[in-house]
Amino acid sequence: MPSLLTIPREIRDEIYTWGLLIPFSPVPPQRIRISTEKVRKVLNLGFTDVTVEEILPRHPSQEDIGYVWSEESVRYPLSAPLPPTHHLLSACSQIRTELKEAIRRMGDGKLRYKIDLALRNDKFVLYPTWVSIPMLSKHVDELEVTLRILHGRTKSVCSVFSVHEEEQEGSLLNGGLACLIRFVERGVHFLSKKKREGFTVGLLVIDVHAPGIARADLDKDMEETAASLEKWMQGTESDALGEMAREMEDTQIRLLARKIESLRLSTYGRIVGEWDMKEMIRMRDELARN
């Protein structure tokens, strides 16, 4: 009886390649908003755009998935399916080895995760959707984030709002940070109850696409954003924040620096800036001492 191991290796490699090309999210995921710092529990239900307070009274049995500061603007997918290669990776050691080799080949020697982060800038709402996860791993060489800004130009690509602003106005920076923190703490299923210890990312790439903005305007905006982002990471603009916001910001940046080696900002593939996260923390500490 023929099996996967009895057919020629070239054909097996072709199977692996097609398996890796299967879309990770073939259908639009159901989404939910995690709201308020007071309530830290949410159900794994298929509600869309519903606050925790609305479902809490009707469902007393809930999982504690925590709350990340300023994540009201994110609409999380309720679940993340397993990678298409998951069962093959569990088959036997030979297939697992061959499939890992195929994954590295397709990624130019690297393990890459890809996620689409759509911004509704009329409401400042973020919709993260996984595009490619070749295999589950504790270390990802590159996390590629395509940030798509929809419905015209925003006030700024890197918008920052007071914590007292209305929730629907949100914050691209703080909402994106909350989404990123959930990923490095809990993995591809942002709402996982169990945190993933020891998870790291080599390079975080944020590539901005804004079809409604002229390229010259976008390039100028991105240069300004890169400068603001560098100051934010170094802590040179923290004096404008209140004490609570300053402490939250510092905690978030240090958490990400422990998990992520470097950050690259680009627009349509053109690199605008790249930073070593440990160097940013060193400069942040130096500024604090002075």
Side-chain angles (χ1 to χ4, degrees):
M1 175 75 66
S3 69
L4 187 58
L5 291 176
T6 62
I7 63 178
R9 173 66 188 270
E10 311 86 72
I11 299 179
R12 289 205 299 274
D13 283 341
E14 190 76 12
I15 293 172
Y16 301 149
T17 300
W18 282 106
L20 292 169
L21 292 174
I22 296 174
F24 188 73
S25 299
V27 294
Q30 295 175 309
R31 298 181 182 276
I32 195 169
R33 179 176 75 165
I34 308 302
S35 180
T36 88
E37 196 168 0
K38 298 177 182 178
V39 181
R40 302 173 179 270
K41 297 178 182 291
V42 66
L43 278 173
N44 186 26
L45 294 179
F47 294 132
T48 302
D49 194 24
V50 60
T51 63
V52 174
E53 300 93 324
E54 289 172 334
I55 64 174
L56 184 62
R58 298 192 294 276
H59 302 279
S61 176
Q62 299 171 27
E63 294 182 343
D64 187 353
I65 51 87
Y67 171 84
V68 180
W69 181 55
S70 196
E71 68 178 344
E72 285 82 3
S73 60
V74 185
R75 299 297 182 267
Y76 293 106
L78 276 170
S79 62
L82 291 171
T85 59
H86 182 74
H87 296 296
L88 278 177
L89 285 167
S90 305
C92 68
S93 59
Q94 181 177 341
I95 291 178
R96 182 179 179 85
T97 300
E98 292 176 355
L99 186 50
K100 284 185 174 182
E101 290 174 357
I103 290 170
R104 295 286 175 178
R105 278 198 305 274
M106 290 191 68
D108 297 324
K110 299 176 180 179
L111 175 60
R112 288 191 175 96
Y113 283 15
K114 297 181 181 181
I115 189 170
D116 181 88
L117 188 60
L119 166 68
R120 279 278 305 275
N121 69 8
D122 54 338
K123 296 184 177 180
F124 287 98
V125 176
L126 294 166
Y127 295 87
T129 304
W130 287 108
V131 176
S132 175
I133 299 178
M135 59 180 285
L136 299 176
S137 173
K138 281 196 170 183
H139 178 76
V140 177
D141 297 307
E142 289 188 12
L143 171 60
E144 297 182 4
V145 181
T146 300
L147 173 60
R148 295 186 301 112
I149 301 175
L150 309 177
H151 303 305
R153 187 173 184 176
T154 61
K155 298 176 183 177
S156 168
V157 172
C158 186
S159 56
V160 180
F161 289 85
S162 162
V163 293
H164 301 297
E165 294 283 351
E166 293 295 325
E167 285 185 355
Q168 64 266 23
E169 291 185 339
S171 165
L172 172 55
L173 176 62
N174 292 332
L177 273 175
C179 187
L180 179 59
I181 287 171
R182 279 206 175 274
F183 169 67
V184 297
E185 282 193 331
R186 300 173 188 270
V188 296
H189 184 17
F190 299 106
L191 306 183
S192 171
K193 182 179 179 181
K194 185 178 180 181
K195 291 188 177 183
R196 301 185 64 193
E197 301 297 333
F199 181 81
T200 56
V201 175
L203 173 64
L204 168 62
V205 179
I206 302 175
D207 191 41
V208 178
H209 293 202
I213 304 177
R215 288 298 295 272
D217 292 336
L218 180 60
D219 288 344
K220 181 181 177 182
D221 205 9
M222 289 295 294
E223 295 288 348
E224 295 173 355
T225 296
S228 296
L229 188 60
E230 183 171 303
K231 291 179 180 179
W232 174 78
M233 288 188 289
Q234 294 173 356
T236 57
E237 296 183 339
S238 296
D239 291 341
L241 301 174
E243 183 177 352
M244 183 191 76
R246 188 163 52 246
E247 290 178 359
M248 287 287 189
E249 176 191 271
D250 190 68
T251 299
Q252 288 181 331
I253 292 174
R254 292 179 186 279
L255 167 64
L256 294 177
R258 290 196 301 272
K259 299 282 189 177
I260 300 170
E261 295 173 13
S262 57
L263 166 66
R264 177 186 298 162
L265 182 66
S266 63
T267 174
Y268 292 102
R270 184 183 74 86
I271 299 176
V272 180
E274 189 164 344
W275 303 270
D276 180 277
M277 295 301 292
K278 286 186 172 56
E279 177 64 14
M280 292 297 101
I281 295 298
R282 186 194 67 76
M283 298 179 73
R284 192 178 184 88
D285 290 339
E286 184 177 329
L287 178 67
R289 286 194 296 271
N290 297 331

